[in-house]
Amino acid sequence: MGRAFKLEDTRNIGIMAHIDAGKTTSTERILFYTGVTYKIGSVDEGTATMDWMEQERERGITITSAATTASWDRFGKKYRVNIIDTPGHVDFTVEVERSLRVLDGAVCVFDSVAGVQPQSETVWRQADKYRVPRICFVNKMDRMGADFDHVINTIRKRLGAHPVPLQFPLGREDNFIGIIDFLEEKVIVWLEETLGAKFEIFPVEKLWDKAFVDSRADVAAALKASAIDKKFYDDHRNKVVEYIAEHDDELIDKYLNGVALTLEEMRKSIRKSTLALKIVPVLAGSAFKNKGIQPLLDAVVDYLPSPLDVPPVEGTDPATDEVVLRRAADDQPFAALAFKIMSDPFVGHVTYIRVYSGVLKSGSYVMNSGKGTRERISRLLQMHANKREEITDIYAGDICACVGLKSVNTGDTLCDEDKQIILENIDFPAPVISVAIEPKTKADQDKLGIAMQRLAQEDPTFRVSTEPDTGQTLISGMGELHLEIIVDRMLREYNVQANVGRPQVAYRETIRKNAIGEGKYIKQTGGKGQYGHAKIELHPIPSSSHESMKEMSTDDLDLLAKEVVGGGSAGKWKFDKEHRFLFIDKIVGGSIPREFIAPIEAGIREALDNGVLAGFPMVDVAAVLIDGSYHDVDSNEMAFKIAGSMAFKEACARAKAVLLEPIMKVEVVVPEEYMAAVFGDLNARRSAIQGTENRAGSNVIRVEVPLAQMFGYATDLRSRTQGRATFTMHFSHYAELPNALAEEVIKKHRGEK
């Protein structure tokens, strides 16, 4: 079977937003209007196609990203749109991270009342990190307090983006009936009796025709609600055209010379500027009321990139470590990234892949280049949420699922056996919360082990570890809801009965001053002995914006290394993203042979996992290897690994180690009369107020609060505000724990009273 859609006619997009902005509802409408489903699914009724898990349908939230494929006609041509609907809850941010890594474009959905919310900022930053072009959809224009201009302003202020409204809503709240298209100078009004499948289009000039407006009560009410007149329309359209021209060197001269820009020129210019991340087109609608989805699909085709518009994917050759490029083309060697693993009760392990180059056929063999293992693709599936359609081959630029891969994890590269490549892996945030878990019966013990192993393979932010002192099994995740869902899935999918302890905070340790440590490991046992000797210097590295350190370029890290060693050449350095640990090799004159440098680094890395205060992982540390010695006969890798670990622990004891705690960004939306009670409660939780604002009749309080103080906050907030306040919370950064509290935590983890 040949390629069904050309590469330039393919769009890989994600739908992303804050929780409850309407992502899944928008996706359901897209599926209905593109003919994938014959009935509109509802999140509230638990019938949404994309929310297929039992937990999603019960809670009315998206937990796992779901992929589907649709096609859309534009200018008499069919386009394929591969869509991934992502969760909005911060606990499942990994789903957004891995989806953005493999997508070419994104649709960011905003609530017309709330505008930019905390998780909107998080997903926007993730899209910036992967340089994903995006368009915005201002949803819920039918809601009480809907304000299109407010959303545009918050996108500009809080996201630092350059929004260009290509449409303006006709009407608002109950009177929202359609949109005014600034580019085509036309009005689109949706016919409610057709569930938004049909709409009426007329020239914008008709809005200023009194006879027409008088004959249409719906249009008259909408114009009044929007407060639009001819002057308002002309001013806004001129601003939009000027803004489009401003970002395009080819159009600006034409515009300044008073030449009218054609519709085709403007479309081409918007596409060019959107792909270059200069502007963000903004559209309006109400997915729940079936309005605005068709123009959104047109905009996806018109302005978001095809796989050909994205730069060739970059990777390294595992044999030579040289940089290799792969173009999006069927005649290139096969290369794909596994971005999601899922356990399917019917077909077993399902691995979602994005094909960057080449063609893959079912039944063929591929190489997992990172692990050096050969894998057979037994079946290829086109996924529609949890429904499967079997296909025989998959081409460059497409997304599909494979069955039969045994040792593949999220972020692994699958490639041609003869022309191997390793693509850049996906970075995942470290867990911030842990709970102890134990099986209720002996029979549950084995099932618990299997369930945890499978869930950890599916979700890279879910970790399992054993508490060394107590032997307890700890499961760690991104938040209370994340772990609650994990435990619920263990019960339902794997039939495991387990007891769960109270949540614990994932503290970190770091150092505050420079220190030198020496490790000498000498062991004589009659025959060949052991000898390793290393001397290191520890430096704290700035951690105020530690999350952004993951995005530091090689040049930035080189400057940091030079700063640590006090100028001049930094020698050879290596950076570990997870611990934000910088290792610098300053050995001169061969006092330690080259082959023993890596074991010293490995020994230090191992020691980082169990800090000196309470056994928490250490972060934000630079270690400079400055001296050491070796023995011609007795030195080996193990001896130097132990010496490195000893030197690190000795230096840490002198480097003023401190505990760090996770700080959360919290946004509380509360009615005026409960402000004092909520403020008082937040102050008692060691919060730092960041600011307040009034939004659609409610007050919004923005604070930073330690995670340890936020357990059970949902219940407390409900009881203080009669259930009328809501809050959202997402991880911000790590900060030093006050001394008195740090002593308590250290004593508790050492088992002291």
Side-chain angles (χ1 to χ4, degrees):
M1 196 179 98
R3 176 185 269 287
F5 290 85
K6 290 180 184 169
L7 260 172
E8 60 266 31
D9 302 339
T10 301
R11 302 286 181 272
N12 292 313
I13 64 159
I15 314 276
M16 59 184 205
H18 185 86
I19 190 166
D20 210 26
K23 294 175 301 304
T24 303
T25 305
S26 301
T27 311
E28 292 299 320
R29 298 320 184 259
I30 289 172
L31 296 181
F32 179 67
Y33 299 129
T34 54
V36 175
T37 56
Y38 64 91
K39 183 171 176 272
I40 295 179
S42 164
V43 174
D44 298 336
E45 292 168 16
T47 57
T49 310
M50 303 304 276
D51 285 351
W52 55 270
M53 285 171 69
E54 284 178 54
Q55 291 87 346
E56 293 177 318
R57 293 188 162 177
E58 284 170 4
R59 290 171 166 81
I61 60 169
T62 304
I63 291 166
T64 181
S65 55
T68 190
T69 298
S71 63
W72 184 243
D73 286 359
R74 181 77 168 137
F75 302 127
K77 194 175 175 187
K78 262 198 177 330
Y79 289 83
R80 165 173 277 175
V81 185
N82 294 320
I83 305 163
I84 295 184
D85 175 32
T86 64
H89 199 287
V90 66
D91 284 17
F92 311 108
T93 189
V94 61
E95 296 289 343
V96 186
E97 182 84 27
R98 59 179 165 195
S99 300
L100 285 171
R101 168 69 177 80
V102 297
L103 291 170
D104 303 326
V107 175
C108 214
V109 183
F110 295 98
D111 183 315
S112 64
V113 179
V116 174
Q117 293 168 279
Q119 188 63 8
S120 318
E121 290 184 57
T122 306
V123 295
W124 195 271
R125 280 201 306 273
Q126 286 172 312
D128 280 341
K129 173 176 163 186
Y130 293 114
R131 297 193 59 75
V132 175
R134 62 218 86 139
I135 56 180
C136 297
F137 180 62
V138 179
N139 192 24
K140 304 193 178 185
M141 282 308 306
D142 59 309
R143 258 190 80 189
M144 187 69 78
D147 189 339
F148 187 72
D149 289 331
H150 164 70
V151 180
I152 298 283
N153 289 333
T154 57
I155 292 172
R156 196 170 283 130
K157 275 195 332 210
R158 293 182 69 173
L159 302 177
H162 301 290
V164 182
L166 304 183
Q167 302 173 347
F168 196 83
L170 179 58
R172 54 189 289 191
E173 299 176 357
D174 290 347
N175 295 315
F176 174 65
I177 59 167
I179 53 111
I180 299 170
D181 188 316
F182 284 133
L183 290 193
E184 297 190 25
E185 300 196 80
K186 68 182 184 186
V187 177
I188 304 176
V189 174
W190 276 270
L191 306 176
E192 299 215 358
E193 62 275 13
T194 66
L195 290 177
K198 292 188 177 159
F199 39 85
E200 175 190 1
I201 300 176
F202 54 85
V204 77
E205 292 303 320
K206 278 200 169 186
L207 291 179
W208 331 128
D209 178 348
K210 190 173 182 309
F212 173 75
V213 173
D214 288 346
S215 70
R216 292 286 299 266
D218 58 337
V219 174
L223 274 173
K224 190 178 175 188
S226 302
I228 301 171
D229 57 19
K230 184 159 175 31
K231 184 180 181 309
F232 176 94
Y233 169 78
D234 289 340
D235 287 351
H236 275 64
R237 184 178 192 272
N238 290 339
K239 274 184 195 167
V240 168
V241 175
E242 182 183 342
Y243 207 61
I244 292 166
E246 255 177 39
H247 288 87
D248 192 330
D249 298 338
E250 288 176 30
L251 291 193
I252 191 69
D253 293 339
K254 240 180 149 180
Y255 177 78
L256 293 174
N257 290 324
V259 180
L261 305 180
T262 67
L263 180 59
E264 199 47 51
E265 282 176 327
M266 286 193 285
R267 276 211 189 103
K268 266 176 81 173
S269 176
I270 294 167
R271 180 177 181 80
K272 195 163 76 175
S273 300
T274 304
L275 298 189
L277 304 181
K278 289 181 184 173
I279 65 168
V280 186
V282 184
L283 297 91
S286 165
F288 185 65
K289 291 288 173 72
N290 312 313
K291 297 181 174 89
I293 299 299
Q294 294 92 338
L296 174 65
L297 279 163
D298 289 343
V300 165
V301 167
D302 289 349
Y303 309 128
L304 289 182
S306 75
L308 291 177
D309 297 314
V310 179
V313 68
E314 207 173 274
T316 51
D317 184 326
T320 61
D321 262 357
E322 287 176 6
V323 173
V324 189
L325 296 178
R326 288 277 193 275
R327 279 184 306 105
D330 297 342
D331 56 3
Q332 288 268 299
F334 174 71
L337 188 78
F339 67 93
K340 181 177 165 69
I341 313 283
M342 197 175 85
S343 285
D344 188 296
F346 302 106
V347 294
H349 248 40
V350 175
T351 306
Y352 284 79
I353 62 166
R354 159 72 196 265
V355 181
Y356 284 100
S357 62
V359 180
L360 179 64
K361 293 185 184 300
S362 62
S364 58
Y365 284 89
V366 292
M367 184 60 87
N368 179 349
S369 51
K371 294 191 173 129
T373 55
R374 193 168 179 251
E375 299 271 5
R376 183 176 181 272
I377 309 286
S378 61
R379 287 161 71 195
L380 289 174
L381 306 172
Q382 190 84 66
M383 299 299 286
H384 297 286
N386 64 329
K387 294 184 175 63
R388 302 166 296 277
E389 177 192 329
E390 197 147 337
I391 51 176
T392 54
D393 36 31
I394 189 84
Y395 296 87
D398 267 334
I399 289 169
C400 82
C402 307
V403 179
L405 303 177
K406 291 185 173 64
S407 60
V408 173
N409 288 332
T410 303
D412 283 356
T413 303
L414 300 175
C415 62
D416 191 307
E417 292 180 76
D418 301 324
K419 298 213 172 142
Q420 291 188 32
I421 183 172
I422 298 178
L423 302 174
E424 187 191 347
N425 209 323
I426 308 172
D427 286 330
F428 296 113
V432 293
I433 181 172
S434 306
V435 296
I437 187 166
E438 59 182 30
K440 282 189 177 175
T441 66
K442 185 83 180 75
D444 286 318
Q445 191 149 4
D446 296 337
K447 287 194 284 186
L448 179 68
I450 293 164
M452 289 195 299
Q453 183 192 345
R454 286 195 184 153
L455 290 168
Q457 195 174 14
E458 277 186 37
D459 183 352
T461 55
F462 169 62
R463 311 266 172 94
V464 181
S465 58
T466 305
E467 180 74 60
D469 302 331
T470 60
Q472 269 186 318
T473 300
L474 294 181
I475 56 172
S476 310
M478 301 305 294
E480 286 180 274
L481 179 64
H482 185 200
L483 294 180
E484 191 186 313
I485 298 287
I486 291 277
V487 172
D488 192 32
R489 286 188 64 192
M490 282 182 188
L491 174 62
R492 292 194 196 186
E493 292 172 32
Y494 300 98
N495 199 21
V496 177
Q497 303 284 339
N499 295 319
V500 179
R502 286 196 58 203
Q504 298 171 359
V505 179
Y507 293 101
R508 297 282 184 269
E509 297 180 22
T510 191
I511 56 170
R512 286 289 180 248
K513 64 178 195 181
N514 299 354
I516 289 177
E518 195 168 1
K520 234 178 195 179
Y521 181 65
I522 305 170
K523 199 173 181 188
Q524 290 302 136
T525 52
K528 189 181 172 187
Q530 303 259 1
Y531 183 92
H533 172 214
K535 192 174 182 183
I536 64 167
E537 196 175 295
L538 285 192
H539 297 254
I541 54 179
S543 59
S544 56
S545 60
H546 65 273
E547 275 309 299
S548 61
M549 287 187 76
K550 283 189 172 180
E551 288 138 48
M552 283 178 93
S553 68
T554 308
D555 291 344
D556 294 335
L557 288 166
D558 201 48
L559 282 173
L560 181 66
K562 282 176 182 167
E563 207 178 293
V564 167
V565 298
S569 166
K572 287 187 176 135
W573 56 264
K574 257 183 163 182
F575 185 64
D576 173 353
K577 287 183 179 180
E578 185 168 342
H579 293 97
R580 302 186 297 281
F581 163 61
L582 186 65
F583 177 76
I584 303 169
D585 168 17
K586 288 286 283 181
I587 290 294
V588 286
S591 54
I592 300 175
R594 292 250 66 81
E595 66 266 26
F596 296 139
I597 305 290
I600 293 172
E601 185 202 345
I604 296 173
R605 255 188 225 211
E606 233 168 69
L608 279 169
D609 284 329
N610 297 296
V612 291
L613 292 175
F616 294 110
M618 294 198 81
V619 292
D620 303 318
V621 177
V624 187
L625 180 59
I626 50 176
D627 201 5
S629 61
Y630 72 103
H631 187 281
D632 285 334
V633 178
D634 292 352
S635 284
N636 58 35
E637 288 188 1
M638 184 52 74
F640 273 99
K641 189 176 178 183
I642 296 167
S645 179
M646 288 165 70
F648 178 78
K649 284 174 180 166
E650 188 186 290
C652 277
R654 301 183 188 139
K656 197 190 170 198
V658 292
L659 271 188
L660 302 174
E661 63 175 342
I663 304 293
M664 311 304 280
K665 262 190 182 165
V666 179
E667 195 169 275
V668 188
V669 181
V670 57
E672 181 73 49
E673 60 264 39
Y674 302 111
M675 281 282 279
V678 171
F679 258 125
D681 181 43
L682 286 169
N683 284 331
R685 293 175 189 268
R686 294 195 286 127
S687 69
I689 306 291
Q690 302 295 302
T692 60
E693 66 177 84
N694 195 284
R695 185 194 292 161
S698 289
N699 288 286
V700 180
I701 307 169
R702 286 199 300 278
V703 287
E704 287 185 351
V705 194
L707 174 63
Q709 304 293 322
M710 289 302 287
F711 295 137
Y713 183 62
T715 313
D716 282 1
L717 184 66
R718 279 189 205 120
S719 61
R720 282 171 206 279
T721 62
Q722 297 181 3
R724 289 176 62 195
T726 58
F727 81 101
T728 53
M729 171 170 89
H730 68 291
F731 173 71
S732 171
H733 62 280
Y734 272 93
E736 194 170 326
L737 189 64
N739 279 342
L741 293 170
E743 278 173 27
E744 267 181 50
V745 172
I746 292 165
K747 280 180 180 172
K748 184 181 164 192
H749 279 82
R750 285 180 178 171
E752 298 170 19
K753 287 186 181 173

